[in-house]
Amino acid sequence: MPQACPCNPSIAYAACCQPLHEGRFAAASAEALMRSRYSAYVLGLRDYLLATWHPDTRPAALDLDDSPDLRWLGLDVKRHADAGDGSAVVEFVARYKVGSTPAVRLHEVSRFARVDGRWYYLDGEFPV
Ligand SMILES: [Zn+2]
């Protein structure tokens, strides 16, 4: 049984986000980039997260929560809207849990921008 991709348990990691994480090719859409960034959070791939952050909004450093108690529960992409002008929006819900506390629901509307043919994460809003 191949390792399942963190972003989609029904697809093998090697056929989903791994080629993006290894830089073998660029994300074909903002949604694919968003999924690969979720997987990178799950796998603790800090360099990938920084490399796919738009230079205008990229933090100088990124501290990932590497607590062994943190467990990502899954990703649900709600909406992907590509405006066709190099900008796109992806709305998603990610769930995680820390220890035995109740699961936390992270609902974000992320903005992406394409620069020289590559998608980058710009920023996100958290709808209530
Ligand atoms: Zn994936």
Side-chain angles (χ1 to χ4, degrees):
M1 185 68 188
Q3 182 191 356
C5 195
C7 88
N8 184 343
S10 63
I11 302 179
Y13 176 53
C16 190
C17 294
Q18 188 174 27
L20 303 183
H21 290 163
E22 293 178 349
R24 283 188 269 138
F25 57 82
S29 67
E31 179 179 345
L33 183 72
M34 189 271 132
R35 288 183 166 280
S36 73
R37 286 176 51 85
Y38 169 84
S39 295
Y41 273 105
V42 175
L43 300 170
L45 304 176
R46 185 198 320 256
D47 291 349
Y48 182 81
L49 289 164
L50 289 171
T52 54
W53 217 304
H54 196 283
D56 290 353
T57 54
R58 181 189 299 150
L62 181 63
D63 273 327
L64 295 181
D65 185 342
D66 56 3
S67 156
D69 288 343
L70 176 77
R71 197 155 59 87
W72 290 92
L73 302 175
L75 173 69
D76 189 5
V77 174
K78 302 283 189 193
R79 185 164 59 96
H80 170 218
D82 186 334
D85 61 355
S87 69
V89 167
V90 180
E91 180 174 0
F92 66 92
V93 172
R95 291 185 180 77
Y96 64 93
K97 215 170 148 59
V98 180
S100 55
T101 59
V104 179
R105 186 175 183 272
L106 173 71
H107 183 190
E108 180 173 333
V109 178
S110 297
R111 292 199 303 149
F112 294 84
R114 201 170 54 209
V115 180
D116 295 335
R118 278 181 174 264
W119 285 103
Y120 292 89
Y121 173 73
L122 204 51
D123 55 20
E125 288 179 357
F126 303 94
V128 282

